[in-house]
Amino acid sequence: MPSTQKWPEQGWAFLQLLLVACFSHSEEICKRRGDPENPQLSKNGDIILGGMFSFHSSWKDRKDNYILNFREFQFAQAMRFAIEEINNSSDLLPGVSLGYKMYDTCGSIARGIKVALALVNGNEIFSAVSGVPCTRPASVQTILGETSSSPCMAISTVIGPFYIPMISHFATCACLSDKTKYPSFLRTIPSDYYQSRALAHLVKYFGWTWVGAIRTNDDYGNNGMATFTETAQQLGICLEYSVSFFRTDPYEKIQKIIETIKASTSKVIIAFLSHMDMDVLINKLSVHGLTGYQWVGSESWISDSQIAAMDIHHILDGAIGLSIPKFKELNSTAENPRECTGHEDMTGVQNSFTDMSLMSIFNNVYKGVYAVAHALHKILSCNETCNKNILQRILKIYFKTKEGDEVYFDENGDPAAKYEIINWQPRKNSIVEFVTVGLYDASLSPDKQLTLQNNSLIWEIIVHLSIQVPVSVCSEKCPPGTRKVLQKGRPVCCYDCIRCADGEISNITDSVSCVRCLPEFWPNQKKDACIKKEAVFLSYEEIMGALLTAASLFGTCMTTGVALIFFKYRKTPIVRANNSELSFLLLFSLTLCFLCSLTFIGQPSEWSCMLRHVAFGITFVLCISCVLGKTMVVLVAFRTSRPGSNVMKWFGPAQQRLCVTGFTLIQVFICVIWLTISPPFPFKNFKEFKDKITLECALGSVVGYWAVLGYIGLLSLLCFIFAFLARKLPDNFNEAKFITFSMLIFCAVWITFIPAYVSSPGKFSVAVEIFAILASSFGLLICIFFPKCYIILLKPERNTKKNMMGKGAP
């Protein structure tokens, strides 16, 4: 702590001038400053301690004995009890007696300053000759009090330059921890900084996110509520309203507060009020019958039995709040104080509030007295070279009370912040029981600071019947599967719950955003979890796949049956016509065409994707090449039928085989280049369906795919042209006519295939491709071979060379 020599010279001169101007009323250079009256309670001793308590609410009411503030009266008794206990102790300050001077400040800050100066200077008249400095030791070593923060701030500002310790038992404003402004102020009650944060965590524990707030309009209430508001915002708690008043305010202002409470939707009220302001408020609330609210109180009133007794309409039933730990063994033994005039005796007063075991705050007064005693003991026990500054010694003391409570101060003069969580539980006989339901210890880690009697506490308010913990929220919690959307112009606790968009989930309550599922996953129906998407492909098990498989096998069987018929009647003219070898090769290629459609069914794999497109391209080219060879033979045979022509030698069996082989090898070459550069591969299509994965074969090189189809289309077009030119040749069995019909069907199928394939989604595009393969294959089989089978099996008499050549036969 700084010494008086460090105080700025100009500030010191200004303070001296101010004190002289305020309190000097004669021409004497030195005169006592402060209250000229004797203290209300006093006792001589070797060392004197000062006490400041508000026995009455005002100076004018000091003669009305019935308005004696029993709470302040008990504080004084606690101080006297501790001093007597120390004087009777042989371990602490042996041979030294402690005395006291206690003044009634009557709830006035101005009077409190006068009393503080009286305690510092004493009541003895002290004059000095002109020129002699007015210096003398302080009358008291330490001042204990005041009860409220605002008086302590004013008093500590005045006596701070003298570095006389002032130890308050109930001034909790966090502002008093500033040692640059209040260098000699200490307290035995924790700072409101911790209390405000603890209240916010308590409110958060019970899930109250929409609350109202009422505070005392002074340093205690304003600073405490400011810290609470800051912490509440960090915890997601919103204040619907925050109002203030002082006990001396006009009725109209308190009426506005009551109207605000009535109009609010929140069911929880944070009351950061002094006990005197709570006295005023509870009377007004009782008149209006404002029951059904959950009150959360500060330590100033939450454990006050006098306020509980005033609450005859059960306004505060179930209130919860913070209180300093109880002191169980301190009882009232001292005499009652006289009122402010010092004449009337109050020893006849009998009241339940004189039992200090009900009021845990008295332990703070007890600790303050003992802190001074321990510091004095250290000073008196040390040698001449040790530090005998009482303020410095108090700041460094550490001891334990008889009950095991640790007493020490940090660098700001504050004790450790520990609170009991008190719940008001009224019984059937209307007597309030203060039940401890938990603890708050600021010295612990944040996750352990707030502890209730059990982690799954079901706290009940007892109001005639037990009811569950009240709910106070602006908006109900958003369940998983939804997200919060703030309501425009309202606090963050007021929001709407919007269902997550497609493909997004939220798996926590009150989620501010939804999370998109990974591509292979999709939200469940509640949109609170991602589940694996269903893999979709054309399978053998489904109806469409089974029907296509059956059609493919049926076509294979039909082709095999035709081949067997042709083989049995291979020596007949209708089979031998136009090179029976090409007919068998065509039947073989059609069998492969029917079978290659099966490669399109089932889950795509790397090999199946390459096989299905290559097999389709090569087998169809082989098939069309055979048809093209037969068509060219028919056309050339009848166009060059004049005698002596040798054109047919260029279209013999060898040339036809070479033609088929050459056309097929070109398609093989195209497929090899396609597979080498960019082959087809299995692909998971996430875009086709939102909630499904389409397993399909990507084409790889699109150019390669369309080159294969284009080449098949080119051969089909040439075959169609040649067959069309030979459609009217003079024979009874015009094969070119049937080839024309088959190629017409083939081209029609594949022309309609292209738009159908492009527009079909997922596995349906595969089904379209299989259908095109089967339809074109059936078209070739039926148009080319069924007429011949009809003649072979049903019209054998027409199976002659003469009948086949018709009128044009030689």
Side-chain angles (χ1 to χ4, degrees):
M1 298 295 294
S3 61
T4 54
Q5 285 76 10
K6 295 182 180 180
W7 185 268
E9 294 181 1
Q10 293 180 353
W12 173 250
F14 177 78
L15 178 63
Q16 291 286 347
L17 180 62
L18 178 64
L19 294 177
V20 170
C22 291
F23 302 111
S24 296
H25 301 285
S26 69
E27 296 179 354
E28 293 177 309
I29 296 178
C30 296
K31 185 182 174 111
R32 68 185 178 200
R33 298 164 186 164
D35 196 329
E37 298 183 7
N38 293 323
Q40 275 62 55
L41 292 172
S42 63
K43 180 180 179 180
N44 292 325
D46 298 326
I47 299 175
I48 304 299
L49 304 183
M52 300 174 62
F53 306 101
S54 297
F55 297 141
H56 297 85
S57 59
S58 67
W59 180 259
K60 294 180 179 180
D61 298 332
R62 67 193 186 281
K63 294 183 179 181
D64 298 329
N65 299 335
Y66 62 88
I67 63 169
L68 176 67
N69 190 324
F70 285 102
R71 184 170 179 168
E72 298 289 321
F73 160 59
Q74 289 174 309
F75 293 157
Q77 289 190 90
M79 178 177 175
R80 296 173 70 180
F81 173 85
I83 290 175
E84 293 298 332
E85 191 175 70
I86 293 170
N87 287 338
N88 295 328
S89 171
S90 58
D91 297 326
L92 193 60
L93 293 176
V96 177
S97 64
L98 293 179
Y100 53 82
K101 293 181 180 179
M102 299 186 193
Y103 280 90
D104 183 1
T105 60
C106 294
S108 169
I109 295 178
R111 179 170 170 80
I113 294 175
K114 292 182 180 181
V115 166
L117 292 173
L119 287 171
V120 171
N121 293 280
N123 281 335
E124 299 82 5
I125 297 177
F126 175 67
S127 301
V129 183
S130 178
V132 178
C134 290
T135 58
R136 58 181 296 184
S139 174
V140 297
Q141 295 295 318
T142 304
I143 297 176
L144 283 90
E146 255 261 19
T147 301
S148 301
S149 296
S150 294
C152 285
M153 294 170 65
I155 295 169
S156 184
T157 301
V158 172
I159 68 172
F162 303 106
Y163 291 94
I164 297 175
M166 179 179 185
I167 304 177
S168 175
H169 53 279
F170 214 46
T172 57
C173 180
C175 55
L176 288 165
S177 298
D178 187 352
K179 293 299 102 177
T180 59
K181 295 181 179 179
Y182 314 106
S184 63
F185 179 81
L186 304 94
R187 53 186 160 194
T188 52
I189 189 170
S191 165
D192 277 341
Y193 172 80
Y194 301 103
Q195 181 189 189
S196 299
R197 291 176 58 85
L199 286 175
H201 283 280
L202 185 64
V203 170
K204 179 66 175 179
Y205 177 87
F206 287 109
W208 300 323
T209 58
W210 187 238
V211 301
I214 305 176
R215 68 187 185 275
T216 297
N217 191 15
D218 61 4
D219 296 294
Y220 168 74
N222 293 330
N223 285 277
M225 188 55 67
T227 303
F228 173 86
T229 303
E230 179 183 357
T231 307
Q233 290 176 349
Q234 297 171 358
L235 297 176
I237 301 169
C238 299
L239 270 64
E240 183 180 11
Y241 59 87
S242 181
V243 294
S244 64
F245 80 99
F246 198 71
R247 53 188 172 272
T248 58
D249 286 343
Y251 172 78
E252 289 75 15
K253 184 171 184 179
I254 300 178
Q255 181 64 29
K256 288 183 179 180
I257 293 176
I258 293 173
E259 295 300 326
T260 300
I261 296 175
K262 287 182 177 180
S264 67
T265 58
S266 58
K267 297 300 180 183
V268 175
I269 302 175
I270 313 300
F272 218 97
L273 300 168
S274 68
H275 66 282
M276 290 179 286
D277 294 302
M278 195 63 191
D279 288 344
V280 175
L281 183 63
I282 192 63
N283 288 324
K284 303 301 181 183
L285 294 174
S286 298
V287 172
H288 292 270
L290 286 180
T291 59
Y293 291 90
Q294 172 60 51
W295 291 81
V296 180
S298 60
E299 38 70 36
S300 179
W301 65 268
I302 194 63
S303 59
D304 195 324
S305 298
Q306 186 173 357
I307 293 178
M310 294 174 60
D311 186 21
I312 58 176
H313 295 286
H314 303 283
I315 303 296
L316 303 176
D317 280 354
I320 192 169
L322 302 179
S323 174
I324 59 174
K326 293 181 176 65
F327 181 56
K328 300 179 180 179
E329 296 187 4
L330 183 61
N331 292 304
S332 174
T333 57
E335 298 177 1
N336 292 302
R338 294 170 293 173
E339 49 85 37
C340 289
T341 59
H343 298 294
E344 287 84 353
D345 190 359
M346 296 294 296
T347 56
V349 174
Q350 297 293 329
N351 194 289
S352 61
F353 303 114
T354 58
D355 181 6
M356 288 186 288
S357 64
L358 301 177
M359 306 289 284
S360 58
I361 193 64
F362 303 127
N363 192 21
N364 289 345
V365 181
Y366 184 83
K367 289 178 180 178
V369 175
Y370 265 83
V372 177
H374 277 274
L376 292 172
H377 186 84
K378 290 287 186 181
I379 292 174
L380 296 177
S381 302
C382 69
N383 54 36
E384 295 181 357
T385 60
C386 69
N387 186 355
K388 295 188 178 182
N389 186 302
I390 182 69
L391 178 60
Q392 297 280 352
R393 283 292 182 176
I394 294 177
L395 283 171
K396 294 180 180 179
I397 61 100
Y398 174 86
F399 65 94
K400 288 186 178 181
T401 64
K402 293 183 298 183
E403 292 73 32
D405 293 339
E406 295 180 328
V407 179
Y408 61 91
F409 301 94
D410 62 15
E411 64 275 7
N412 296 320
D414 295 330
K418 295 180 181 180
Y419 299 96
E420 288 181 344
I421 301 173
I422 301 298
N423 177 218
W424 286 29
Q425 295 188 358
R427 300 305 181 188
K428 292 182 179 180
N429 56 5
S430 298
I431 298 176
V432 171
E433 181 179 356
F434 299 101
V435 179
T436 301
V437 295
L439 299 171
Y440 181 88
D441 190 345
S443 63
L444 301 177
S445 59
D447 59 326
K448 297 180 180 179
Q449 287 178 348
L450 180 64
T451 56
L452 298 174
Q453 289 180 345
N454 58 77
N455 293 331
S456 59
L457 175 69
I458 302 178
W459 176 63
E460 295 180 344
I461 308 172
I462 303 178
V463 187
H464 304 299
L465 295 174
S466 296
I467 58 177
Q468 291 292 334
V469 178
V471 176
S472 185
V473 294
C474 182
S475 300
E476 294 294 332
K477 291 182 178 295
C478 289
T482 62
R483 64 182 178 90
K484 297 195 299 186
V485 176
L486 298 182
Q487 296 176 357
K488 189 175 181 179
R490 302 199 68 189
V492 295
C493 297
C494 301
Y495 48 81
D496 296 316
C497 298
I498 304 297
R499 189 169 175 82
C500 291
D502 289 344
E504 297 181 344
I505 67 161
S506 63
N507 54 7
I508 59 174
T509 303
D510 277 346
S511 176
V512 296
S513 62
C514 296
V515 180
R516 180 164 291 278
C517 293
L518 295 176
E520 294 190 7
F521 294 85
W522 189 253
N524 59 2
Q525 188 174 3
K526 294 182 178 180
K527 293 194 174 184
D528 58 358
C530 291
I531 57 177
K532 196 171 183 64
K533 289 181 179 179
E534 178 187 0
V536 177
F537 57 90
L538 187 60
S539 65
Y540 295 101
E541 290 79 10
E542 59 182 302
I543 296 177
M544 184 167 57
L547 291 175
L548 292 173
T549 301
S552 176
L553 296 177
F554 178 70
T556 303
C557 294
M558 287 180 60
T559 307
T560 305
V562 172
L564 292 176
I565 293 173
F566 267 54
F567 181 78
K568 182 177 181 180
Y569 297 95
R570 62 186 178 277
K571 295 182 179 181
T572 59
I574 199 169
V575 175
R576 295 178 64 184
N578 298 337
N579 193 343
S580 61
E581 184 179 345
L582 282 182
S583 296
F584 283 106
L585 185 60
L586 177 58
L587 289 170
F588 173 73
S589 63
L590 284 173
T591 303
L592 294 179
C593 288
F594 281 116
L595 292 177
C596 79
S597 63
L598 298 177
T599 61
F600 289 83
I601 304 175
Q603 182 173 347
S605 64
E606 186 175 351
W607 286 104
S608 68
C609 287
M610 291 188 292
L611 178 63
R612 65 174 57 172
H613 291 97
V614 171
F616 157 71
I618 294 175
T619 56
F620 261 79
V621 166
L622 178 61
C623 181
I624 300 300
S625 298
C626 293
V627 176
L628 181 60
K630 292 173 69 68
T631 307
M632 293 175 63
V633 170
V634 173
L635 182 62
V636 172
F638 284 92
R639 293 291 185 183
T640 60
S641 59
R642 59 183 183 274
S645 176
N646 57 355
V647 178
M648 280 299 297
K649 70 178 182 179
W650 297 104
F651 291 93
Q655 286 77 16
Q656 293 176 26
R657 287 192 292 270
L658 181 62
C659 180
V660 171
T661 304
F663 286 143
T664 306
L665 286 177
I666 293 175
Q667 183 74 306
V668 172
F669 180 73
I670 295 174
C671 290
V672 170
I673 295 176
W674 182 16
L675 296 178
T676 302
I677 296 176
S678 180
F681 58 91
F683 172 68
K684 294 180 179 180
N685 189 342
F686 300 106
K687 298 180 179 179
E688 201 72 54
F689 300 101
K690 294 180 179 180
D691 57 343
K692 297 178 181 178
I693 302 175
T694 303
L695 301 181
E696 56 187 35
C697 288
L699 297 176
S701 173
V702 178
V703 176
Y705 176 72
W706 289 109
V708 169
L709 288 183
Y711 184 65
I712 296 174
L714 177 62
L715 293 182
S716 302
L717 182 61
L718 289 175
C719 187
F720 175 74
I721 293 173
F722 290 156
F724 182 79
L725 295 175
R727 73 189 185 283
K728 294 183 179 180
L729 295 178
D731 59 342
N732 288 335
F733 185 77
N734 190 353
E735 187 170 10
K737 185 188 299 182
F738 298 115
I739 293 175
T740 302
F741 287 143
S742 66
M743 296 313 300
L744 185 62
I745 294 174
F746 186 91
C747 293
V749 168
W750 286 100
I751 289 174
T752 56
F753 158 77
I754 294 174
Y757 178 82
V758 172
S759 61
S760 298
K763 63 182 180 180
F764 297 101
S765 63
V766 179
V768 168
E769 191 168 0
I770 296 174
F771 179 80
I773 293 172
L774 295 177
S776 57
S777 299
F778 275 113
L780 291 173
L781 178 64
I782 294 172
C783 291
I784 295 176
F785 291 99
F786 271 32
K788 297 179 180 181
C789 292
Y790 174 76
I791 295 174
I792 292 173
L793 297 177
L794 300 178
K795 299 290 183 179
E797 68 277 5
R798 296 174 58 184
N799 190 5
T800 62
K801 183 176 181 181
K802 180 180 179 180
N803 185 68
M804 290 182 60
M805 298 302 294
K807 295 178 180 180

